Amino acid sequence: MPENFRHSTPVPEIVPSIDPALRRSAARLRECMAMALPIWAARAQRPDGSWVEHLTLDGTPDLGAERRWRVIGRQAVAYAQGTLAGWHDGTDTARRSFDAYWSQGWTGTHMVHRIGADGTVTDGRHDLYDHAFALLACARMLQVTGNADYHRKAQAVTAYLDRHRHPAGGWYEGTVKPTPRRQNPHMHLLEASLALFEATGDGADLSIAHAVIALFDTHFLKDGLIGEFFGDDWSPDPACGDHVEPGHAVEWVWLLRRYEAATGTDRRCARLSLYDRAFRQRLGRLYDAEQRDGTIDRQTTRLWVQTEAVKAHLAMADAGWAGAAGMAAASIDAMFGTFLRGDGLWNDQLNACDAVLSDTIPVSTLYHIVGMAAEADRLVRGRP
């Protein structure tokens, strides 16, 4: 292993000074993940290492559904993180997932968009969002294994990004849907860049992160809200420029805290602005979609949104914000029996009365659940 690649380290003990409620909640999540990760690998991973798109509500894999190919890369991320956290040795699962993801999806210049159940490429177009997760998968695999081949693959993804830089800043959306421009794939490029730096310790791997933060400062953040859709010059899209997603706003809270840790910069004002606006009169769950004026578009709540809310509370607790650890613990506990089922599966979306709206269990949500659990574990164990 090259000496400059920083891979998995022994799991530290619990930090005694952490809020006791959060310690208990983090322990519940660890137990949940230790049970869920082997269940999902047994039920949803296919013999070639790829995954089904979803399970039915009774836990049966849907072997006929077309796959969003980035989801296979996200599974590699989830099992790498579970291994790094020490809950479950998913190294082989992560490796098999990544091998299928890369060998079937990478064309030599870009990652394909969708692949059918029979392994046939059904949509070979390229999309910026897909490549954010390609870079993240390379980073987490490098971190968990120390194998330099994953770094070379990360460089292939960054070469794609270099070819698709936009003159107005950021990157072109790709050929799946060239317009409007979206903040979401740029946000995930920040996540991927931070993960790559975490794996290598090389400051050059933060260059993408710095570029995305510049976009955040100049275009994404306005009045405590994150704009979602934009024109070519980053002006708000005239058709959907007022659309906001609370889940993305709180995801930014966590990412800004991680950017602070990586760079030593102070993003406190932006974090506080987003955190205050997201949870103002929303002390419980966050809705899926709203308008800038606070009008609720859909009184529905998806699980991934709530996992990102927990990560925002954890980020603020990490920064010493009073009450944030308790909010994280309460939010985690509220997921059990509503979103998180006792059989290692989950309900993906609920309505305002807690009735289940989803008719499948998407594999893609595992990335969010594992990310939440990993962040809770990091905080209670005092990891950097």
Side-chain angles (χ1 to χ4, degrees), residues 254-275:
W254 171 71
L255 284 167
L256 290 170
R257 183 61 182 161
R258 299 311 298 158
Y259 183 76
E260 287 177 315
T263 63
T265 56
D266 184 356
R267 311 298 305 184
R268 180 176 11 178
C269 289
R271 276 192 293 106
L272 287 174
S273 176
L274 287 165
Y275 190 71

Side-chain angles (χ1 to χ4, degrees), residues 183-267:
Q183 75 79 26
N184 191 26
H186 290 81
M187 177 185 72
H188 284 293
L189 281 171
L190 169 60
E191 178 187 13
S193 180
L194 290 168
L196 189 58
F197 171 71
E198 194 175 334
T200 68
D202 185 350
D205 288 324
L206 285 171
S207 61
I208 290 173
H210 298 322
V212 177
I213 287 292
L215 291 174
F216 171 86
D217 288 337
T218 54
H219 301 297
F220 297 162
L221 178 63
K222 301 291 182 186
D223 302 320
L225 295 169
I226 295 293
E228 293 288 341
F229 300 108
F230 299 88
D232 217 40
D233 61 354
W234 290 115
S235 58
D237 182 77
C240 47
D242 286 337
H243 173 88
V244 295
E245 296 192 23
H248 289 157
V250 289
E251 201 164 357
W252 269 104
V253 174
W254 171 71
L255 284 167
L256 290 170
R257 183 61 182 161
R258 299 311 298 158
Y259 183 76
E260 287 177 315
T263 63
T265 56
D266 184 356
R267 311 298 305 184

Side-chain angles (χ1 to χ4, degrees), residues 23 39 54 67 74 89 110 134 147 151 181 187 195 208 238 299 331 338 348 354 358-359 362 380:
R23 285 206 306 270
I39 288 173
H54 53 252
R67 279 88 55 83
R74 282 166 63 141
D89 185 2
H110 70 272
N147 187 333
H151 194 245
R181 300 188 73 185
M187 177 185 72
I208 290 173
Q299 289 190 337
S331 299
T338 51
D348 191 63
D354 279 357
S358 44
D359 55 7
V380 300

Side-chain angles (χ1 to χ4, degrees), residues 46 48 50 63-67 69 100 103-105 112 114-123:
R46 301 179 63 143
D48 67 353
S50 69
L63 298 176
E66 182 186 44
R67 279 88 55 83
W69 204 241
S103 65
Q104 297 179 49
V112 302
R114 288 175 178 263
I115 291 183
D118 63 356
T120 303
V121 174
T122 52
D123 190 339

Side-chain angles (χ1 to χ4, degrees), residues 318-376:
D318 185 47
W321 192 254
M327 285 296 296
S331 299
I332 290 168
D333 292 344
M335 290 183 184
F336 287 93
T338 51
F339 286 105
L340 299 178
R341 295 162 35 172
D343 56 359
L345 308 182
W346 53 81
N347 298 315
D348 191 63
Q349 188 178 47
L350 306 178
N351 68 12
C353 299
D354 279 357
V356 177
L357 296 178
S358 44
D359 55 7
T360 64
I361 309 173
V363 170
S364 59
T365 310
L366 185 62
Y367 148 82
H368 289 283
I369 302 170
V370 169
M372 168 184 65
E375 189 61 15

